[in-house]
Amino acid sequence: MANKEKVLFDNGVHKFIMFSFDDESQEDSYLSVNQYLIVQKNTGVLIDPGSEAIFDELSEAVSKYVPLENIKFIFLSHQDPDVSGSITQWSVSTSAKFIISALWVRFMSHYGFLDMSRIMPLADHGAKINFGDNYLQFVPAHFLHSPGNFSMYDSASKILFSGDIGAAIVNMDDDYKHVQNFDEHKVYLEGFHKRYMGSNKLCRAWVNHVEKLDVEIIAPQHGLLFEGENVRLFLDWLKELECGSDNIDALY
Ligand code: FE
């Protein structure tokens, strides 16, 4: 049984927690899914809460760290069901504002979510918002893979939630959640990134942005964390990656 949660950062007032609840109906696909929670002074920010199938388990786990009514923001990196599928459930159980690319606001009604006043739409260049004594920065990650897509940087923990960037197709059956050896891990990154990510030019634009931030951990929505020197190794790898439209001849 995999360990379902891990505290990645805790300085007494600010915590960053990783959960790994999988949709068990998808067990054979080995696409493990990570959800994250930031808590500062009893106020929470939930990140990519995922599908409806994991809502009960995740909300129970989250409520051990912060009362659900104290969740102020729920960040959705993009529109996919494994990211945003539970928006309706979270809108009922919290009074949080949902932060998502402006491109996807109107699509949320297809998940049964109708109160658009609860959404804070992000313009393409992103935004920076104050959170307690620190800030959260929404970093453009468009076409990596979704056309309206953001990563989120937490200045207090120096953790960058990268969404699908850095996602690996691995089975998270054991307790370790970070990459041990980047060279060995590359094989789990390659297939996914080559097909799902837009192009090398887009990867470079994202890396250039991220290099201006002081990042200690890159935390993706699927697979393992990049810590320490693996942050640099991953960014260098992504900069050189040929993907998406770079391989157009293989697609058409
Ligand atoms: Fe996705």
Side-chain angles (χ1 to χ4, degrees):
M1 173 82 173
N3 189 359
K4 296 281 188 194
E5 60 192 74
K6 183 180 167 129
V7 177
L8 303 181
F9 179 88
D10 184 359
N11 66 1
V13 286
H14 187 100
K15 273 195 180 73
F16 198 114
I17 306 121
M18 174 189 197
F19 301 96
S20 304
F21 288 106
D22 289 336
D23 176 352
E24 273 154 26
S25 62
Q26 303 294 317
E27 211 165 14
D28 294 338
S29 71
Y30 296 118
L31 186 63
S32 64
V33 190
N34 306 318
Q35 307 81 29
Y36 299 92
L37 173 72
I38 299 173
V39 180
Q40 187 177 124
K41 296 175 187 161
N42 216 24
T43 298
V45 178
L46 184 62
I47 303 169
D48 278 11
S51 72
E52 208 186 317
I54 62 161
F55 172 78
D56 289 342
E57 277 183 299
L58 180 63
S59 57
E60 196 188 322
V62 164
S63 64
K64 288 180 187 148
Y65 291 94
V66 65
L68 297 188
E69 61 267 26
N70 289 9
I71 297 177
K72 195 172 179 190
F73 301 115
I74 298 178
F75 171 56
L76 306 170
S77 62
H78 62 293
Q79 83 290 358
D80 275 347
D82 61 323
V83 170
S84 305
S86 58
I87 185 171
T88 304
Q89 283 73 22
W90 286 102
S91 73
V92 172
S93 59
T94 71
S95 53
K97 292 274 189 190
F98 295 90
I99 301 177
I100 188 169
S101 161
L103 265 63
W104 299 121
V105 174
R106 71 187 68 169
F107 289 80
M108 291 299 111
S109 63
H110 297 278
Y111 290 127
F113 176 82
L114 297 169
D115 183 3
M116 299 305 158
S117 70
R118 295 275 301 275
I119 296 187
M120 286 171 56
L122 287 171
D124 280 344
H125 286 293
K128 207 180 202 179
I129 59 171
N130 291 326
F131 181 63
D133 300 329
N134 312 93
Y135 65 87
L136 303 173
Q137 188 170 342
F138 302 95
V139 177
H142 308 307
F143 298 100
L144 302 170
H145 67 90
S146 168
N149 200 80
F150 289 92
S151 303
M152 193 188 92
Y153 177 67
D154 171 36
S155 72
S157 65
K158 300 181 179 175
I159 295 173
L160 175 72
F161 168 70
S162 58
D164 279 327
I165 301 169
I169 313 296
V170 290
N171 192 354
M172 301 268 279
D173 263 354
D174 47 34
D175 281 346
Y176 86 88
K177 296 196 187 300
H178 62 274
V179 174
Q180 312 264 327
N181 179 319
F182 185 77
D183 278 330
E184 286 172 15
H185 188 64
K186 275 195 284 201
V187 62
Y188 303 109
L189 299 171
E190 264 160 6
F192 179 82
H193 286 75
K194 279 186 175 163
R195 183 62 182 88
Y196 280 81
M197 298 297 153
S199 72
N200 178 260
K201 191 175 181 180
L202 294 157
C203 292
R204 281 176 186 250
W206 185 83
V207 172
N208 286 340
H209 215 109
V210 168
E211 282 175 339
K212 293 181 191 121
L213 305 169
D214 182 9
V215 177
E216 286 190 357
I217 296 179
I218 293 180
Q221 197 220 346
H222 308 281
L224 305 179
L225 305 163
F226 301 88
E227 288 181 75
E229 69 156 354
N230 286 329
V231 169
R232 182 73 264 157
L233 292 171
F234 173 67
L235 294 176
D236 287 346
W237 174 83
L238 191 65
K239 246 189 215 175
E240 299 307 321
L241 182 75
E242 296 204 336
C243 57
S245 66
D246 304 318
N247 301 320
I248 193 164
D249 292 341
L251 299 173
Y252 286 85

